[in-house]
Amino acid sequence: MTYDMNLPSNHSNIDFQEGKLNHLLDVDSLSLNSIENLIQSTDLAKKNFVSKTKIPTLKGKTIVNIFFENSTRTRVSFEQAGKLLSADFINVNIPSSSMTKGESILNTIKTIQSIGMDCLIVRHHHSGVPYLIARNVNVPVINAGDSMHAHPTQSLTDIYTIRTELGEIKNKKILIIGDVKHSRVARSNINLLVRLGANITVAAPTTLLPDSWVVQNNTRNLKRVKIISHYLKMESKLAKSDLVMLLRIQKERLDQGCLPDLDEYSKLWGLSKSRFYNLCPKIYIMHPGPVNEGVEIDSEILSLNNSLIDQQVENGVPMRMSVLEFCILK
Ligand code: CP
């Protein structure tokens, strides 16, 4: 079954390339040229990351992380990226901030702006909050993940990882399995991968697919993505794919009734050892993390050579170095 993909609209009149400020709020407004530039500068930044050599590019600049939702890899890799570029880095701790006394998000951000910042990195559990903030500050804003909507730097990191490990993305057969409905990573990745010419198949029970993909015949579509909602078809696609991207079951966003239970999901849709060794022992494996071990993937597979999960985390630092340079200096 093939459904048209409903790409997110370009919510923002603030363009990564053409606006006065270089916000990075989603991947929609990134041109293929900008993506290529980011990939090339990530290659250069990776040398500094590997040798742990600081460069003075952002000396004198202050970057602020403000995360309203938990994170390990995105938050820490942005901090590491900023420090490798010699920036000063501030992490705002929401539970100990004056927001607990009733201060609004915008007043909190304006307060931090008055104290001094040159770039703001925001994660929020509601879609669109980074856009609201971007319209109310005079520094570049980077979206570090807004609910189910977008996670541009994870997606750019994934694109970079695929290019580095598998070569050209065009015509690569990529299977995305899991909780697409709640996944900002899937939305951003599908957007970029389709534009870069990959053949994308998405496999999930219908309850874990976005409703609009299942019930609507959307006309505002750019490309087509194949959708599979039966696990046996997913198995046959696994055997023919170059790469599988597994997605975390997002228990914190799961509506009641999306899944009978995690054991059943794991049995029908998870990448078990037997599925992997019998069907696709050569396939590359990616997962944006954090992983629910034993649910979407067996722990043993995580450490095989086929797994690019460690590389995804490592590449997150140089990719975020490139993004910070583009946003702050361009
Ligand atoms: N992939 C990702 O966003 O991980 P964190 O939630 O740990 O940042």
Side-chain angles (χ1 to χ4, degrees), residues 70-75 123 151 154 184-185 288-290:
N70 291 344
S71 164
T72 300
R73 45 196 72 59
T74 312
R75 187 176 55 79
R123 171 171 288 190
H151 196 346
Q154 177 68 50
R184 55 194 173 216
V185 177

Side-chain angles (χ1 to χ4, degrees), residues 11-25:
H11 305 263
S12 175
N13 56 4
I14 309 164
D15 190 289
F16 183 71
Q17 289 183 295
E18 291 158 20
K20 288 190 183 112
L21 291 168
N22 288 320
H23 302 296
L24 179 57
L25 301 175

